[in-house]
Amino acid sequence: MVPSGVRTGRWVAAARAAQRRPRVDSLGQPPSPESARTRAALYVHWPYCEKRCSYCNFNKYIPRGVDEGAVRNCLVTEARTLLRLSGVQRVESVFFGGGTPSLASPHTVAAILEAVAQEVYLPADSEVTLEANPTSAPGPRLAAFGAAGVNRLSIGLQSLDDAELQLLGRTHSAREALQTLTEARHLFPGRVSVDLMLGLPAQKVQQGTLPAPDPDLAAEMYQEGRTVLRDAGFRQYEVSNFARNGALSNHNWTYWQCGQYLGIGPGAHGQFVPQGAGGHTREARIQTLEPDNWMKEVMLFGHGTRKCVPLSELELLEEVLAMGLRTDVGVTHQHWRQFEPQLTLWDVFGASREVKELLEQGLLLLDHRGLRCSWEGLAVLDSLLLTLLPQLQEAWQHRTPSPESGG
């Protein structure tokens, strides 16, 4: 049964039918370079919140009133424009973030998904994630989002301690958080993630900001948390992400694998190769931050892109390295060749004395699979990149230019 107020279009109906089928882990072999240029993830930014949380620096606004119909129309327009500009033919996943997107209506979510499906191929079983806060997502509202096409929830619990929640400026209690989590797991079995914070300071909030936590204590809590989750059967598939039973975030995996992604909404970020760029030059794009100005630009130009920066081949390779090493898979030889067919990982790192020391310390592994961090190395990735990135830059300077370049 479809909750009242949710309009069911053709794609949403197919997606609801797909939700009833068994889920298959879709993180398999990477697509070919040709197909990678026609695929992308889509991020949708809903910029509005009920209140400001002291720790959050995302693009968010506390509105006096929101003309949701106008915002919805602009999101739909911008999605259509950027899909056409990118030449993307298939959207692999959609992520509604914010802000607090659970404050938007399920009708807005459904309208955006239907618009995407009308422009490109959006598989009925694509991962569609909605970020939700406990106070804005009671059970019936979660069910309505499910009827609108959402099949995965990311719940901002942050803590299960009422004192810490108050310190963070959250509007929910630990009891409300657990109640929302129970309802979400019932409605979206195996497709629920939660955000939890560690290293919170014991001091009170001062002038709307939180003092920095003790770094040694935060590191100790991180290691203890990793161990507890590993013993409970969770796979640490990224520096700060854990999952079991194969329930990884496909959308975030696109980021870590440096796949293309489109960002719509105020302040959204995207990276893709626009049509007319020769199929090579990827651009990093940022949409206008302030919602009213963003809407004016979308109505005038079809999109609100404020900044567009072409990425050099080296800059893209640096991202491939830094993002890939955040995962437990690391950077495989196959994945690296999609972006750099000339310089191999062995060429870049195989003869380095500094890298050899990291290998001997057990922090890195370089073998037939590729380059990746060990369990211990993943916890100190930032320090490892201080060695690895200069090594890549030096190898790049001494390479022989190739007529082919990847995007």
Side-chain angles (χ1 to χ4, degrees), residues 77 96 169 177 189-190 208 247 249 255 269 276 299 329 332 341 373 382 393:
T77 296
F96 291 87
S249 169
Y255 297 152
H269 289 225
M299 288 186 282
V329 173
T332 67
C373 294
D382 286 350
Q393 293 157 3

Side-chain angles (χ1 to χ4, degrees), residues 64-218:
R64 294 180 179 177
V66 176
D67 183 351
E68 183 168 349
V71 177
R72 176 170 57 245
N73 290 339
C74 286
L75 288 169
V76 166
T77 296
E78 187 165 66
R80 293 185 187 277
T81 300
L82 293 187
L83 285 168
R84 293 169 186 172
L85 178 64
S86 68
V88 163
Q89 299 173 16
R90 174 184 175 118
V91 168
E92 303 279 21
S93 62
V94 183
F95 193 104
F96 291 87
T100 308
S102 52
L103 291 174
S105 70
H107 174 45
T108 290
V109 169
I112 294 169
L113 294 173
E114 290 290 353
V116 172
Q118 290 169 10
E119 290 292 327
V120 299
Y121 178 50
L122 178 65
D125 60 351
S126 294
E127 179 187 274
V128 179
T129 302
L130 178 85
E131 287 184 339
N133 283 344
T135 51
S136 62
R141 189 167 180 81
L142 293 180
F145 281 119
V150 172
N151 56 29
R152 182 177 178 275
L153 288 178
S154 176
I155 304 176
L157 299 189
Q158 312 309 347
S159 174
L160 291 176
D161 181 280
D162 284 333
E164 290 181 347
L165 289 170
Q166 186 175 9
L167 172 74
L168 293 169
R170 304 295 284 171
T171 59
H172 65 269
S173 66
R175 181 185 61 81
E176 290 171 328
L178 290 173
Q179 180 180 349
T180 299
L181 180 57
T182 299
E183 293 171 336
R185 294 179 68 183
H186 172 71
L187 291 166
F188 303 90
R191 306 297 297 272
V192 178
S193 69
V194 299
D195 292 341
L196 292 172
M197 301 180 68
L198 59 81
L200 295 174
Q203 295 84 2
K204 294 182 179 180
V205 178
Q206 297 178 352
Q207 297 181 348
T209 61
L210 293 177
D214 176 77
D216 293 333
L217 177 60

